[in-house]
Amino acid sequence: MTIQTHKRTCSLCEATCGIEIEFNPATEEILSIKGDKDDPFSQGYICPKATALQDLHEDPDRVTTPMLKTESGWQPIGWTQALDIAAKRFAEIQAKHGKDAIGSYLGNPNVHNYGNLLFGPLLLRALGSKNKFSATSVDQLPHHMASLHMLGHQLLLPIPDIDRTDFMIIMGANPLASNGSLMTAPDFRGRIRAIQKRGGRVLVIDPRRTETAKVADEHWFIRPGQDLVLLLAILNIWTHEQRDELPTLPDYVDSIDLASLCAGFTPDIAAKATGIDESNIRQLAKQWLAAPSAVCYARMGLSVQQYGGLCQWLVNVLNIASGNFDRPGGVMFTKPAIDLPAILAARGGRGHFDKYRSRVRKLPEFGGEFPVAVMAEEILTEGQGQIRGMLTVAGNPIISTPNSDQLNRAFESLDFMVSIDYFINETTRHADLVLPPCGPLERDHYDLIFNTFAVRNVAKYAPALFDKPKGGKEDWEILLGLAKRLNRGSLKTRLQTSLTYAVMNWLKPVGILKALLKRGPYQLALKTLIETPEGLDLGALEPSMPNRLFTKNKKLSLTPKVFVDELQRLRTALLAPQSDDSLLIGRRHVRSNNSWLHNSRRLTKGPRRDRLLLNPVDAERLGIAEGDTVKVTSRVATLTVQAEPCDSMMLGVVSLPHGWGHDEDGVQLAQARQAGGVNTNRLTDDHYLDELTGNAALNGVSVTITRVA
């Protein structure tokens, strides 16, 4: 037996760890998956998720041929027939009800597939519908909102320079479980240790003592949804008590008076709202300014709450006001081999906000997408523009978006639905047609998105390890096949579009990748990356302001009107006393990533991870003991789970993991069904969101807990 080794990047989370896959080319049997010590970025580190690449490749539940739903069940059909049916039904619905009668939802895995990123827009343009949704608005929309209004581009995200910082403040993030998020950083535990080894400190502020908090120097509990008040209090101390210590803002920064923004948000007020001692708040403000370098990294806990947009804006404000912007050890910006922000800006694609609004609730679009929290109502509410047909691509919104029961009813009511996916899951079971792409090891890989968010400039390419199954298609081929069939308009328009499709089909994703690399800032040849399978280190992040700004006047807007107005609108509510309700937050595990890895036997083995965590004092007050069955009730639903009192939870806060609950009728995921768990997004509320951005508020949901006798 001849064993070969294939080097590539793990595509199952944002860390982009280098891996080595040992396999038998004669039988295509995978023998092992381990970290690649030669990878200059991850240096041999991998988390448990990497082994799931084998499980995905070999999964007996994986769909490998198009499936049509009939009265007698799912029936396999050929690709030509499948694509013809999909295009014909979409066209019929739009001809009868208008272009907006077809909705689309793009899931998280799309950003791990550069073919989808390059070819997906072709299909969405061919559909021509305003009713577009994605996982962005249950995740990171507040980050993009802040970047668009402050820096001029929705993809120009400030990246923590964690490898050189002296003081790292982590708010609402658990990178030891997530491996970094909007901060591509493999081996985060090792990077924390490096900060501590060089004499630096790490502070975690979170309602739960997370895995990250346990290895940090210090952890503070904070009441969910009150992060904004803490941030305002820090700014208040700086601008009212430590004004002389504040560095001068750079010439390229435009700002109104910061002191007026935070007036009234004093440390004592913040202490009452957040549960953090006033002395600690003052200590943080002082140490942040005094540190040789410091950076605040805030993620899901701040993004998926009712003040997410203001939180992420203020995190940027504090990083800038403290003098830790565009400098080593603070927040910096990548110079990726394929510079997506620059490429998109050259085509007028910096992003936009509130150009039009949703039909029912009148929420603003962002970047051409509506908040996913309105998707169900846009399907269920009759009238002109009602969604009657749906396309989902690599997404499972039934599990990952708020008020799942309502969305189940909405999908069940559709006239027609197509899912590009290789599993029959909670969402795709509603489809009339499932179009399965090949698996991640059967296509080549390059990280377009995550190199843009990395803590170091890197580039790496890997060809496909295995040939795609006979008769199989890559995602981009499915997307292009549908787009071709939906080509319409005048003769001139159809001819021009057909030419574009022909060129794209001829180039294929790898041809476009080759051209983009050659035109990038390093003028890399794809051949160079092929000959360097472990990847290239292109250097540390470097200062780039103000040249990196995409604003028309090359100024950074520190206090955009849209944020200032929203803060003024909410001022009274923020200063009001808080309720005593129990507040629900989510949590992530290193062996999980949303809902799409739960059919991996390697990642779901071991103790159950779906219990409701609550503080022991709360448990005693409610008469709840370890393992008791409890009911958790929100405005929209009730779930029954087992309880686990633990001192890692803040008083008044409970936690359920996200992405579980695979027991719906029709789901064909044997391992996931066996793993159990409940879908926590049955409890989250589609009407509880960040009103500024439209991002769903999945954290801080008011719930009641009762013990089941």
Side-chain angles (χ1 to χ4, degrees):
M1 180 176 68
T2 302
I3 297 175
Q4 294 185 13
T5 300
H6 173 80
K7 291 176 180 276
R8 71 185 297 117
T9 299
C10 175
S11 57
L12 297 181
C13 80
E14 298 184 39
T16 69
C17 299
I19 57 174
E20 291 183 342
I21 302 177
E22 290 190 348
F23 69 104
N24 181 347
T27 62
E28 294 195 351
E29 179 187 4
I30 296 174
L31 304 175
S32 71
I33 298 177
K34 58 187 179 183
D36 181 4
K37 295 180 180 178
D38 295 327
D39 186 294
F41 195 26
S42 59
Q43 300 179 7
Y45 172 84
I46 58 169
C47 79
K49 286 191 283 289
T51 59
L53 283 166
Q54 181 175 356
D55 288 347
L56 286 172
H57 181 68
E58 299 172 352
D59 198 321
D61 293 327
R62 177 178 152 192
V63 180
T64 57
T65 189
M67 302 294 285
L68 178 68
K69 185 182 288 179
T70 69
E71 291 184 0
S72 58
W74 292 102
Q75 298 293 329
I77 60 173
W79 275 107
T80 300
Q81 183 186 4
L83 295 173
D84 285 346
I85 291 172
K88 180 175 181 290
R89 291 290 288 120
F90 280 157
E92 288 174 348
I93 291 171
Q94 290 186 313
K96 185 175 181 180
H97 301 288
K99 285 189 175 182
D100 294 338
I102 300 297
S104 62
Y105 176 85
L106 306 182
N108 173 274
N110 282 282
V111 294
H112 298 265
N113 183 339
Y114 84 97
N116 284 30
L117 293 173
L118 294 174
F119 282 76
L122 298 180
L123 176 55
L124 297 183
R125 280 197 294 270
L127 286 169
S129 172
K130 289 181 181 177
N131 281 316
K132 294 182 289 187
F133 308 89
S134 80
T136 298
S137 54
V138 284
D139 189 333
Q140 66 213 50
L141 180 51
H143 292 266
H144 298 304
M145 178 83 164
S147 289
L148 175 63
H149 289 281
M150 300 179 78
L151 309 172
H153 202 300
Q154 64 181 10
L155 286 183
L156 189 65
L157 301 189
I159 306 301
D161 186 26
I162 62 176
D163 291 338
R164 291 180 287 190
T165 196
D166 297 289
F167 183 30
M168 186 166 192
I169 305 140
I170 300 174
M171 297 183 67
N174 187 13
L176 256 68
S178 67
N179 277 309
S181 180
L182 300 184
M183 178 186 63
T184 303
D187 189 15
F188 198 85
R189 182 189 296 269
R191 286 181 151 85
I192 284 183
R193 286 173 175 163
I195 293 172
Q196 295 166 330
K197 187 175 181 180
R198 59 178 178 265
R201 292 181 61 249
V202 178
L203 167 67
V204 172
I205 303 174
D206 198 286
R208 182 170 75 92
R209 188 177 298 108
T210 62
E211 293 82 356
T212 304
K214 291 173 183 176
V215 301
D217 296 279
E218 198 168 0
H219 166 250
W220 299 347
F221 285 127
I222 186 170
R223 187 163 175 80
Q226 298 305 308
D227 310 85
L228 178 60
V229 180
L230 173 63
L231 297 171
L232 287 166
I234 298 295
L235 188 61
N236 182 284
I237 294 170
W238 288 352
T239 57
H240 291 79
E241 301 177 21
Q242 296 180 266
R243 196 178 191 96
D244 293 340
E245 300 173 40
L246 279 177
T248 302
L249 292 174
D251 292 340
Y252 59 82
V253 175
D254 276 342
S255 176
I256 65 170
D257 179 32
L258 294 177
S260 64
L261 285 179
C262 54
F265 291 97
T266 55
D268 59 317
I269 293 290
K272 293 174 184 175
T274 62
I276 299 173
D277 288 344
E278 181 181 346
S279 60
N280 283 346
I281 296 173
R282 292 187 177 279
Q283 171 196 343
L284 173 57
K286 182 178 180 179
Q287 291 181 345
W288 194 334
L289 276 188
S293 64
V295 63
C296 181
Y297 167 65
R299 205 32 210 111
M300 289 292 284
L302 273 70
S303 289
V304 294
Q305 59 157 284
Q306 61 180 330
Y307 307 129
L310 289 175
C311 281
Q312 296 301 350
W313 162 60
L314 271 173
V315 168
N316 286 349
V317 169
L318 295 179
N319 280 326
I320 294 168
S322 63
N324 289 290
F325 182 76
D326 194 42
R327 57 165 289 200
V331 288
M332 304 190 76
F333 298 89
T334 55
K335 183 182 177 183
I338 296 177
D339 191 353
L340 273 187
I343 292 169
L344 293 172
R347 301 179 181 183
R350 294 190 296 269
H352 48 78
F353 171 67
D354 203 11
K355 281 193 172 182
Y356 45 89
R357 296 201 163 210
S358 65
R359 179 178 61 104
V360 180
R361 214 184 311 173
K362 308 301 180 187
L363 291 183
E365 61 78 36
F366 184 92
E369 295 180 354
F370 288 130
V372 75
V374 308
M375 183 162 63
E377 68 190 32
E378 292 295 333
I379 298 171
L380 293 170
T381 306
E382 296 182 357
Q384 184 64 32
Q386 178 186 5
I387 297 175
R388 297 171 180 270
M390 197 74 197
L391 168 72
T392 67
V393 184
N396 192 0
I398 295 291
I399 291 290
S400 57
T401 67
N403 199 346
S404 297
D405 291 348
Q406 178 182 242
L407 190 56
N408 259 320
R409 294 193 300 271
F411 279 1
E412 189 63 34
S413 74
L414 290 167
D415 295 342
F416 184 67
M417 179 171 165
V418 175
S419 292
I420 300 176
D421 205 301
Y422 44 68
F423 286 122
I424 308 294
N425 59 30
E426 292 74 20
T427 295
T428 60
R429 70 194 175 101
H430 291 288
D432 298 279
L433 195 58
V434 174
L435 307 176
C438 64
L441 298 181
E442 296 160 349
R443 53 175 166 80
D444 62 340
H445 183 76
Y446 182 88
D447 276 298
L448 270 182
I449 290 290
F450 299 117
N451 288 345
T452 307
F453 301 152
V455 299
R456 192 169 181 86
N457 294 309
V458 293
K460 184 175 181 177
Y461 171 80
L465 171 56
F466 301 120
D467 292 335
K468 59 189 176 186
K470 185 178 180 180
K473 290 184 181 294
E474 292 189 38
D475 305 70
W476 71 268
E477 293 176 289
I478 302 170
L479 296 166
L480 184 58
L482 283 173
K484 285 180 178 179
R485 287 164 169 81
L486 290 166
N487 189 8
R488 52 200 162 186
S490 66
L491 177 60
K492 180 180 178 181
T493 299
R494 294 199 307 274
L495 288 173
Q496 289 175 334
T497 304
S498 294
L499 179 60
T500 299
Y501 292 166
V503 172
M504 295 280 282
N505 187 56
W506 174 71
L507 284 171
K508 300 178 174 51
V510 70
I512 301 171
L513 178 70
K514 183 178 180 181
L516 293 175
L517 285 167
K518 200 64 178 175
R519 295 173 188 170
Y522 306 94
Q523 298 182 329
L524 286 176
L526 181 61
K527 181 182 178 183
T528 301
L529 293 182
I530 293 173
E531 292 173 348
T532 317
E534 66 275 9
L536 291 178
D537 179 7
L538 301 173
L541 307 186
E542 297 178 352
S544 59
M545 290 292 157
N547 293 333
R548 190 64 165 149
L549 292 172
F550 288 91
T551 51
K552 292 180 180 179
N553 61 0
K554 282 295 179 181
K555 293 280 190 178
L556 186 156
S557 178
L558 190 64
T559 52
K561 186 175 184 299
V562 65
F563 294 110
V564 174
D565 288 351
E566 180 71 357
L567 179 57
Q568 185 60 34
R569 184 183 74 83
L570 293 171
R571 184 175 294 271
T572 301
L574 289 169
L575 292 170
Q578 304 302 309
S579 72
D580 294 326
D581 292 349
S582 293
L583 299 180
L584 174 69
I585 63 171
R587 67 178 185 268
R588 171 171 270 182
H589 194 280
V590 71
R591 302 177 71 87
S592 180
N593 187 3
N594 301 330
S595 68
W596 53 290
L597 294 182
H598 292 164
N599 218 44
S600 163
R601 60 179 177 81
R602 290 177 174 85
L603 298 187
T604 54
K605 65 183 180 181
R608 291 278 292 267
R609 304 195 290 269
D610 60 323
R611 285 186 164 189
L612 180 80
L613 303 184
L614 73 166
N615 185 278
V617 175
D618 287 326
E620 184 177 1
R621 173 175 56 84
L622 296 169
I624 295 170
E626 170 82 21
D628 278 355
T629 300
V630 297
K631 285 185 177 180
V632 186
T633 302
S634 71
R635 184 187 74 86
V636 297
T638 296
L639 290 182
T640 302
V641 298
Q642 283 188 309
E644 182 177 329
C646 60
D647 60 8
S648 65
M649 295 302 303
M650 184 180 187
L651 195 68
V653 183
V654 298
S655 174
L656 275 174
H658 161 77
W660 297 89
H662 305 283
D663 56 352
E664 300 274 7
D665 290 342
V667 173
Q668 298 183 15
L669 298 169
Q671 182 64 35
R673 292 178 72 94
Q674 182 179 336
V678 294
N679 177 7
T680 187
N681 276 324
R682 290 184 59 205
L683 293 171
T684 55
D685 191 338
D686 58 306
H687 281 260
Y688 181 59
L689 42 70
D690 174 18
E691 293 185 23
L692 174 63
T693 66
N695 202 82
L698 306 180
N699 280 338
V701 178
S702 293
V703 294
T704 57
I705 316 294
T706 55
R707 179 177 176 274
V708 177

